[in-house]
Amino acid sequence: MERIKTAIVGASGYTGMELLRLLLVHPQVELVAATSRQEAGKPIHAVFPRFRHAPAAELAFIEPDPDAIAATGAKVAFLALPHGVAAEIARALLERGLKVIDLSADFRLRDAAVYAEFYGHEHPAPDLLSQAVYGLPEVRAEEIAKSDLIASPGCYPTSIILPLVPLLAEKLIDPATIVANSYSGVSGAGRKADISLLFVECNESVRAYGLPKHRHLSEIEQELTLAAGEQVTITFLPHLMPVTAGIHTTTTAKLAPGIDPEAVGRSLEAAYARSAFVRVLGRGGYPDTKNVTRTNFIDIGWQYDARTGRVILLSAEDNLGKGAGGQAVQSFNHMFGLEETAGLQNF
Amino acid sequence: MERIKTAIVGASGYTGMELLRLLLVHPQVELVAATSRQEAGKPIHAVFPRFRHAPAAELAFIEPDPDAIAATGAKVAFLALPHGVAAEIARALLERGLKVIDLSADFRLRDAAVYAEFYGHEHPAPDLLSQAVYGLPEVRAEEIAKSDLIASPGCYPTSIILPLVPLLAEKLIDPATIVANSYSGVSGAGRKADISLLFVECNESVRAYGLPKHRHLSEIEQELTLAAGEQVTITFLPHLMPVTAGIHTTTTAKLAPGIDPEAVGRSLEAAYARSAFVRVLGRGGYPDTKNVTRTNFIDIGWQYDARTGRVILLSAEDNLGKGAGGQAVQSFNHMFGLEETAGLQNF
Amino acid sequence: MERIKTAIVGASGYTGMELLRLLLVHPQVELVAATSRQEAGKPIHAVFPRFRHAPAAELAFIEPDPDAIAATGAKVAFLALPHGVAAEIARALLERGLKVIDLSADFRLRDAAVYAEFYGHEHPAPDLLSQAVYGLPEVRAEEIAKSDLIASPGCYPTSIILPLVPLLAEKLIDPATIVANSYSGVSGAGRKADISLLFVECNESVRAYGLPKHRHLSEIEQELTLAAGEQVTITFLPHLMPVTAGIHTTTTAKLAPGIDPEAVGRSLEAAYARSAFVRVLGRGGYPDTKNVTRTNFIDIGWQYDARTGRVILLSAEDNLGKGAGGQAVQSFNHMFGLEETAGLQNF
Amino acid sequence: MERIKTAIVGASGYTGMELLRLLLVHPQVELVAATSRQEAGKPIHAVFPRFRHAPAAELAFIEPDPDAIAATGAKVAFLALPHGVAAEIARALLERGLKVIDLSADFRLRDAAVYAEFYGHEHPAPDLLSQAVYGLPEVRAEEIAKSDLIASPGCYPTSIILPLVPLLAEKLIDPATIVANSYSGVSGAGRKADISLLFVECNESVRAYGLPKHRHLSEIEQELTLAAGEQVTITFLPHLMPVTAGIHTTTTAKLAPGIDPEAVGRSLEAAYARSAFVRVLGRGGYPDTKNVTRTNFIDIGWQYDARTGRVILLSAEDNLGKGAGGQAVQSFNHMFGLEETAGLQNF
C-alpha cells in the first residue's frame, strides 16, 4: 500500500514534536512537510536530536506556506498552531484539497459565540464550523471517517469527557454536581521561553492556575451537554505538576437517586469494551500517569463514596499522546481507513 | 533562659527527621534524647548526614524506653511513632511527668468509637482522650498552652481544615457540598522499604490512593463539625505526586444562598489576620508548594466560580512542616510560653 | 514469516520490564513465557499495568523451571537474573536446545579468575565461558550471529567501551590516562525494596558509589584491552542521579603524542558510519540522556582540550535500552537473521 | 548590638533570591535596599512569595542607583549582577564608603589579561583588582576580614578548590593529572527565559556544556596555582543535571610518587578540622547533594584507586549556598567581626 503523504504545520512545539515522533515511524505515512517559521531551513533532527537516524528526519523545516505544503503532494495536514492562527491556514489547505486535522481550539466549538466568549476574539472562520468534527474517536468514529476537517480535542477535555460521557448518557449521575480536578505535566504549557516554566520554577512545585473559567471548559461542556441531552455546567480545576508529560483527572459527581453504584462500572465497561485505547480499570482501580505516558491510552478507574453519595472517576493520559498527538493520529487512521491502532501500538 | 530539655521518640523516619531539623537549632531547646529501635547506638549524624556539625548531632539514638527517656531530664517528648504504638508510650511518659506532643493519630479523635471505625482496632488508651487537645494553634492556642498532651494534626487535615473553619463557622458555604482534592509529596508515605515508594515508581507518576475512606477523614470531619456546629461529611481525595515534600489541596463547596462571594475573602482575612503562619493570598491568589516547603507556613488562596456557585479554596503547606513537625513545634512554643515563631522563622 | 517463540526469564525487575516492553510488540516475536518466582500466576499486565491491552500481556508469569520453559516451544530465552543465578539456568536451557541471551554478568568475562576477583565467588559455569560471546553488536556482529550464548553487556560498560574502542584500536589515546565518569538513572539499581532507593532518598540528590573498584570494571577493561592490544586499566567513577533512566558518561584520556586531534572524530565516524544505533554527534556535540531514553541509541560527542592535551568523550544511552534490553534484542535480531533494527525503531 | 545596614544589588535572580533568604533573617542584618531594574517598585514578597511574612519582605525593590543605595545608610552591598556590570557599580559604592561583596566574576582574577582571555572583553576596572580579596574564608579569612572588596568565588570553583588546596600545598598529588567532573543543578544557569532551561528540557536530562574552556577555569587555576606554588592547568567538565540546587564534583589526580594514600585523609582533616562549614567525610565517604542543599556546608569524601594510583575526591555543596550566597554571607560575617556561622546555621 502506498504511504499517505502527510504534512505537519507548526512542528517545532511540544505537540509538533509528538506528532513527529509518531508520524516519522507510522507504517502508512510518508512525512513530506514539516513547517516552522522559526526553524525553517534546518533539518528536523537538528531541532530535535532525538529523531536523528529516523529516515525522514533529514527533511528540512519549511515556512508554513499553503502552496508550498500543497506542492509536496500532501493529502493531509496536522496543524499544531496557536488558536486563531490555525483557522486561516486550515481554510487555505482545505481549498487546496488537503484533509486537515487541527489540534488547536479553532474548530472545536459548534457555536462561534461561545468561542468569542472563551477565547476573547471573534471566531476567524465561522463558516467552517459546521463541517468540522470534534475528533473523539471513541464517541464519533464514523463521522471522523467521513470528514475532511477534524478538530482534535484538548488534553484536559479528553481526560474529563471520556469517563463522563457514558454516565451522563445513561443518567447515572447528577450533572449539576460535577467537579473535575486535573493535574497536567509541564509540556502542556508549551515550548515557550517563559520564566514561570523554567525547571527551577516548576520542579518541587504544584499550583493551580486559570481559575475559574479555563478555556477548555467551553469544549468540555459542549460535549457533556450533548451526551447528557441537557445543559451541563461544571467546575474545572486545572493545576500544573512537576512531570514532563501526563494528565491525572479526578472527577466527582453525585450518583443519581435510585441508581445502583455498580451501574457506573457496567456503563464504563460497556462503553469502552471494544475501544483499543480506553483501558477501564474497574472499581478501586487507580490510573497512574506513568502507565500511559508516550502512549495513546487513557486509563479509567472509579470508586463510590457511600458516605456522601459521590461517584469518583479517575483518569490518566499523556497530555501529548491521547491528549493531543496520539489522538490526532487515531483520527487520521479513521479518516484513511487504516487500522485504528496503526502507528500507535507502542508501550 | 534555660533551654527546655526535649526528647524525640521515633526519630528515624521522615517526621522524626523534620523534628530533628527544627529542634537541633531551636534557640530554646536542648535535645537530650532521640529514640529509634533500629538505629539505637548510632549518633544522629550517622543516620542523617545532613545534620553533621549541628551541636547535638553527636547524640546517639537510644531505645524508646520511658525510664531512659525520663532519666535524661526531658520535660517534653515529641512522639513520631505509628498509631497504636504512640498511646502506650505517651501514657508512660505522662506518668513520669513529661508533657507529650504526639504526632500520631492516637489522640486526635474525641470519640474512641470513631477511632475504632477508621483505624480498625480498639483505641489503646480511651481514658486519655479527654485530656488531649487537637493541636491546631490557629484554632485553640489557649487550650494548647494549658495542656500536657497534644495530638498534633495530620498533614492532609491541616491543609483542609484551616481554609474551611472560618467559612463553616460563619455559614458561608454549604457543608454538604465539600470535596477536597489533595496531592502530597512522597515523604508523606513514610521512610519504609516499599517497592511502590521507589524513585522509579514515583517519578513521572501521579496517582490517587486510599479511596474512598482515608483515615484522615475522621479528624477532618470532627474538626469541621465542631466549626460548623452541625455534622459535616465530606469527600476527600488523596493523591501522591512526585515531589519530596508539599501538600496542595483544592477544596470546593457551594456558596450558601444569599452570601456575597467576597465574604469568603473577608472571613479568611479576619480569621488569620494575626496568624504568624497562615498567609492569606486573597482572591485569585495561587498557593504553590515550592513557597512553603521547609517552613511552617500554610498559604491560602481562593476564587469564586460564578457559573456554578462554587467557592474554590486552594492551600499549600509542607506535609512535614506545617503538616507535621513544624506544627508540633508551634504547639510546643505555646505550651512553654515561648514566642510562637521560635525556631520556625526560616525561609 | 513465522514468529520466533521467545521466553523472558526473570521478567519482574526493571530489565525484565524493558524486555517485555520491546518483545511484546516486536514484529517477529511471539512471547511464550515470562518467569518470575514472586509473581508466578499473575498475568503480565497485573504486575505492569502499562502493558495492559498488549496482545501477549494476558500471559501469566510462571516459575523459572527449565522444563516448563522448554515446553512452551521457546527457541530463545532472555535471562534477566542476578549474576550467579543466571549461569545455572542458562546451562539447563542450552541443554534443552534453546539459544540464550544472558543479561547478567555471568558470561561476560573470558577468564573465570577475573570473575572470582570481581564478583567474590567462584564462577558457576567456567566450562561455558569459551562458547559465550560478549554481545556488543557494533564490535562483533558476526560472532553474535553464530552463537547460541550471548553475554549481553552491562549498562555502564556499553557507554564507556563504544566511544573508546576505535580510538584505542588506532592508538590515538594513551590507555594509561583513561578516567570514565558515569551518571546513571535510578532504574539501574534495580527494582528492590531498599531505603536508599526511595523517591525521597534519590530525588534532588546526586552521589557517587561503588568506588574504587566497581564490578563493571572487569568487563570494561577486558574489552578495552582487546581493542588496544595491550593491558588497559582505567579509573571508573559511577554515580546515581535523579532520573528514571539514562546513563551519561564523560571519559577523558590524553591524546597520544603526535596525533592530530581531528583524528578522533574521523575514527569515530569511520567506526560507526554504518551503525544503526550509534549516533556520532561530532566535535562539540553534546549527548543528552533525554534524546536516547526508551531507545536503543547511544549518542557520542567529543571535544579536545588543547590546554591539557586531553580528549573528552561524551556518551549517552538508556541504561535499560542500549545498556540492557535494547542491546539484547539487537543481538537477538542478529542471531535470528532479522533486520538489526527490528522492534527497535521507536523514538 | 546594632544591626548592619545591608543592600543587595541585583536581587531578582536566583543568587539574589538566596541572599534575600539568608539576609532577611540574619540576626545582625537590617536589609535596607534590594535593587532590580525589572522589579523596581514591587515589594520583595510580590516577586518571591516565599518570603511573605518575613519582616523586611515589605521592602520594595529599587533601581540600582548608587546614590539611592548609599542614601539608605547601607554599610555594605552584596552584588549579584552579571560580570562586566558589577565592576562599575562596585566602584561607585566603594567611593560612597560602602564595603562590597561581589558575587560576579569581575574581581576574582588578579590578572586583567586572564580576565580578557576568559571573558572576551577588557576588564572594566583593572585598577581595583589589587584591592580585591578572593573570598574563600577557609583559605584567607584574615584578608577577608580586613578588606572592603570581596570577590566571592564561583559555584564550581568552590567545589573544586577546597578539596584540592591542601593536597596541592603538601604536594601529595601530581598537578598535571587533575580532571574535575562537575554536575550542577539548574539554578546555576540563572533565572532567565531560555528554552534550554525549561522544565521539559531539563527534566530527565543530563548533558555536558561549555567544553573545553569554561570561564570558571580561570579562577580555579589561579587558586590552585597559588596553593601548589607552580602553574596548574586542569581539565574541567561541567554538566547540567535535573535538580534545583546542588553541585557534585568528582576530581581525580595521580598520587605523587612515594606518598602514602592515607596522607590524603590526614591532609584534609588537618586543613578543615576547625572549619565550621567543611565536613570531611573521610575515606569511603560519599557526599550527597541532598545533605547540603540550602546550607553553607561543603561535604568532602575521598578514595584511593590503587589499581591506577589515582586519588578520587568527592565534594557536594549547594551552588546557591556555599557556592554563592552562603559563602558571601560567611565573608560578610568575617568582615564585620561576627560569628562565622551567624545567619548560616540552618539544616
Side-chain angles (χ1 to χ4, degrees), chain B residues 138 158-167 249 264 268-269 271-272 277-288 292 297-303 312-317, chain D residues 52:
Chain B
E138 286 77 14
T158 301
S159 77
I160 295 169
I161 294 167
L162 286 177
L164 283 170
V165 155
L167 310 193
T249 291
V264 170
L268 290 168
E269 294 286 352
Y272 300 119
F277 295 115
V278 182
R279 302 189 294 197
V280 179
L281 308 184
R283 184 168 186 166
Y286 292 113
D288 185 328
V292 294
F297 292 113
I298 178 168
D299 284 1
I300 300 177
W302 69 280
Q303 188 47 276
I312 303 165
L313 297 166
L314 307 167
S315 59
E317 61 170 26
Chain D
R52 210 171 140 115

Side-chain angles (χ1 to χ4, degrees), chain B:
Chain B
M1 176 187 162
E2 208 178 344
R3 286 168 176 249
I4 298 151
K5 294 187 175 180
T6 302
I8 304 173
V9 183
S12 63
Y14 290 132
T15 297
M17 182 176 75
E18 179 70 2
L19 286 168
L20 283 168
R21 190 176 81 83
L22 294 169
L23 296 175
L24 282 170
V25 293
H26 190 298
Q28 274 99 38
V29 165
E30 179 188 355
L31 187 71
V32 293
T35 85
S36 166
R37 283 193 199 285
Q38 210 172 335
E39 311 288 358
K42 294 185 201 165
I44 289 169
H45 66 70
V47 176
F48 297 116
R50 184 170 180 90
F51 302 140
R52 210 172 140 114
H53 275 211
E58 295 293 334
L59 195 71
F61 283 103
I62 60 171
E63 294 280 346
D65 173 58
D67 285 323
I69 296 166
T72 63
K75 301 292 175 229
V76 57
F78 291 79
L79 311 189
L81 295 166
H83 62 84
V85 176
E88 187 186 1
I89 199 155
R91 183 194 300 278
L93 293 172
L94 287 166
E95 288 170 358
R96 283 159 182 77
L98 283 79
K99 295 175 190 284
V100 170
I101 302 169
D102 177 26
L103 288 86
S104 87
D106 278 359
F107 299 106
R108 292 179 190 157
L109 301 176
R110 301 186 171 200
D111 183 342
V114 176
Y115 183 93
E117 177 193 347
F118 277 86
Y119 289 87
H121 57 87
E122 288 307 299
H123 193 283
D127 56 307
L128 289 177
L129 288 180
S130 63
Q131 75 180 82
V133 173
Y134 190 74
L136 263 182
E138 286 77 14
V139 175
R140 51 180 73 90
E142 288 182 30
E143 286 176 74
I144 291 167
K146 289 180 284 189
S147 176
D148 285 345
L149 176 56
I150 302 297
S152 211
C155 49
Y156 287 124
T158 301
S159 77
I160 295 169
I161 294 167
L162 286 177
L164 283 170
V165 155
L167 310 193
L168 287 170
E170 297 185 46
K171 306 209 175 296
L172 304 183
I173 55 173
D174 175 357
T177 62
I178 299 172
V179 176
N181 244 284
S182 292
Y183 282 67
S184 171
V186 185
S187 60
R191 191 163 182 251
K192 56 189 180 222
D194 180 326
I195 292 276
S196 75
L197 301 180
L198 294 182
F199 181 85
V200 174
E201 303 298 321
C202 296
N203 188 39
E204 299 296 290
S205 156
V206 180
R207 56 190 194 255
Y209 71 97
L211 299 178
K213 199 178 166 186
H214 189 281
R215 285 165 170 171
H216 279 177
L217 266 171
S218 53
E219 58 183 286
I220 294 167
E221 293 178 352
Q222 168 182 287
E223 296 300 307
L224 298 186
T225 295
L226 286 169
E230 62 178 299
Q231 177 61 39
V232 179
T233 307
I234 75 163
T235 294
F236 166 49
L237 306 157
H239 302 72
L240 207 60
M241 64 177 177
V243 300
T244 290
I247 281 182
H248 188 286
T249 291
T250 301
T251 302
T252 52
K254 287 272 190 178
L255 193 69
I259 298 294
D260 171 10
E262 293 299 334
V264 170
R266 288 191 296 266
S267 173
L268 290 168
E269 294 286 352
Y272 300 119
R274 281 163 313 185
S275 287
F277 295 115
V278 182
R279 302 189 294 197
V280 179
L281 308 184
R283 184 168 186 166
Y286 292 113
D288 185 328
T289 58
K290 75 168 178 277
N291 291 328
V292 294
T293 42
R294 298 177 305 282
T295 77
N296 195 44
F297 292 113
I298 178 168
D299 284 1
I300 300 177
W302 69 280
Q303 188 47 276
Y304 178 64
D305 179 6
R307 302 168 74 253
T308 64
R310 287 194 184 91
V311 174
I312 303 165
L313 297 166
L314 307 167
S315 59
E317 61 170 26
D318 186 325
N319 57 300
L320 296 177
K322 182 63 177 167
Q327 183 146 264
V329 171
Q330 190 184 351
S331 281
F332 162 87
N333 289 341
H334 283 284
M335 292 166 86
F336 285 90
L338 310 176
E339 285 289 310
E340 187 180 28
T341 57
L344 293 170
Q345 259 184 322
N346 57 312
F347 287 91

Side-chain angles (χ1 to χ4, degrees), chain A residues 21 24-25 48-55 199 203-204 269 272 275-282 289-295 297 299 345-347, chain C residues 21 24-25 48-55 199 203-204 269 272 275-282 289-295 297 299 345-347:
Chain A
R21 190 177 80 85
L24 283 170
V25 294
F48 296 118
R50 186 170 178 89
F51 301 141
R52 211 172 139 114
H53 276 212
F199 181 85
N203 188 40
E204 299 296 292
E269 294 286 352
Y272 300 118
S275 287
F277 295 115
V278 183
R279 302 189 294 198
V280 179
L281 307 184
T289 58
K290 75 168 178 280
N291 292 327
V292 294
T293 41
R294 300 175 306 282
T295 77
F297 292 114
D299 285 0
Q345 261 185 320
N346 56 311
F347 286 92
Chain C
R21 190 176 80 86
L24 281 170
V25 293
F48 297 117
R50 185 170 180 89
F51 302 141
R52 212 172 139 113
H53 277 211
F199 181 86
N203 188 40
E204 299 297 292
E269 293 285 351
Y272 299 119
S275 287
F277 294 115
V278 182
R279 302 190 295 198
V280 179
L281 307 184
T289 58
K290 76 167 177 278
N291 292 327
V292 294
T293 41
R294 298 175 307 282
T295 77
F297 292 113
D299 285 0
Q345 261 185 319
N346 57 311
F347 287 92

Side-chain angles (χ1 to χ4, degrees), chain C residues 142 145 167 309:
Chain C
E142 287 181 30
L167 311 192

